[in-house]
């Protein structure tokens, strides 16, 4: 007949064996793969530009068939602006960063329109900030007319055929 002490010793041995098996599996998984992602070194506040000094590498243990994680490539983060507070050591979701605004709301910028027959150059005042490639509303200060214009990488606005 088993005593309570023998049962307890058997359970402890089984628990220790299970723990050892899990530890070996974790070590084997870590050796076979994983991914490196970039996370904040310190708190990054909304509006701050993300730099290399603000990031640190962190190793993730994931199955090889998992889809890519945002932040595996530092190029996805460098030069971007934080939309919300990013905490140290935490993964950065793609929705938490945005590209830097090239055009600032309320400032005057060069506004161009080109077609096969005519080219018009003037000035426009953006009604919203934006980055390259975005289409924003722009006011013509002379007429007050509001038009849509695309932001170009050289900080100019171009009007497409409407």
């Amino acid at each position: 007949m088993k005593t309570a002490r023998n049962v307890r010793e058997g359970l402890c041995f089984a628990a220790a064996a299970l723990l050892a098996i899990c530890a070996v599996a974790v070590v084997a998984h870590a050796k076979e793969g994983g991914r490196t992602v970039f996370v904040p070194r310190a708190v990054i506040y909304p509006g701050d530009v993300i730099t290399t000094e603000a990031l640190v590498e962190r190793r993730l243990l994931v199955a090889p068939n998992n889809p890519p994680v945002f932040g595996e490539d530092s190029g996805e983060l460098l030069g971007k602006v934080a939309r919300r507070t990013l905490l140290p050591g935490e993964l950065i979701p793609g929705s938490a960063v945005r590209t830097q605004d090239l055009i600032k709301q309320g400032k005057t910028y060069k506004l161009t329109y080109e077609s096969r027959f005519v080219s018009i150059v003037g000035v426009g005042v953006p009604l919203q900030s934006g980055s390259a490639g975005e289409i924003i509303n722009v006011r013509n200060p002379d007429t007050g007319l509001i038009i849509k214009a695309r932001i170009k990488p050289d900080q100019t606005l171009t009007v497409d055929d409407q």
Side-chain angles (χ1 to χ4, degrees):
M1 182 162 131
K2 290 188 176 183
T3 64
R5 180 177 179 184
N6 289 343
V7 171
R8 189 173 36 230
E9 286 176 0
L11 288 174
C12 287
F13 178 74
L18 183 61
L19 184 62
I21 290 171
C22 289
V24 168
V26 167
V27 169
H29 191 275
K31 286 182 181 176
E32 73 183 34
R35 295 188 181 153
T36 302
V37 295
F38 291 88
V39 296
R41 180 183 308 269
V43 176
I44 299 174
Y45 294 100
D48 288 352
V49 177
I50 299 174
T51 62
T52 54
E53 293 81 29
L55 298 175
V56 65
E57 289 185 25
R58 179 175 156 195
R59 190 95 173 133
L60 288 181
L61 296 177
V62 294
N65 58 350
N66 280 5
V69 178
F70 183 77
E72 285 187 62
D73 179 21
S74 63
E76 295 175 325
L77 298 168
L78 294 178
K80 301 281 176 86
V81 177
R83 288 182 188 251
R84 63 179 180 88
T85 303
L86 305 174
L87 300 175
E90 297 291 321
L91 292 177
I92 302 172
S95 62
V97 296
R98 63 176 172 78
T99 56
Q100 280 186 301
D101 291 335
L102 288 177
I103 299 290
K104 303 289 183 197
Q105 176 183 355
K107 291 180 67 180
T108 304
Y109 291 93
K110 180 179 171 183
L111 181 66
T112 61
Y113 171 78
E114 291 187 29
S115 72
R116 272 184 28 194
F117 306 108
V118 68
S119 176
I120 302 171
V121 178
V123 294
V125 179
L127 301 178
Q128 61 212 56
S129 298
S131 58
E134 289 183 35
I135 296 176
I136 60 172
N137 291 324
V138 180
R139 184 174 48 82
N140 181 330
D142 296 332
T143 63
L145 185 68
I146 296 175
I147 54 177
K148 294 203 179 285
R150 183 177 307 275
I151 301 172
K152 295 178 103 179
D154 62 353
Q155 291 187 327
T156 61
L157 301 165
T158 184
V159 178
D160 298 329
D161 287 329
Q162 297 183 5

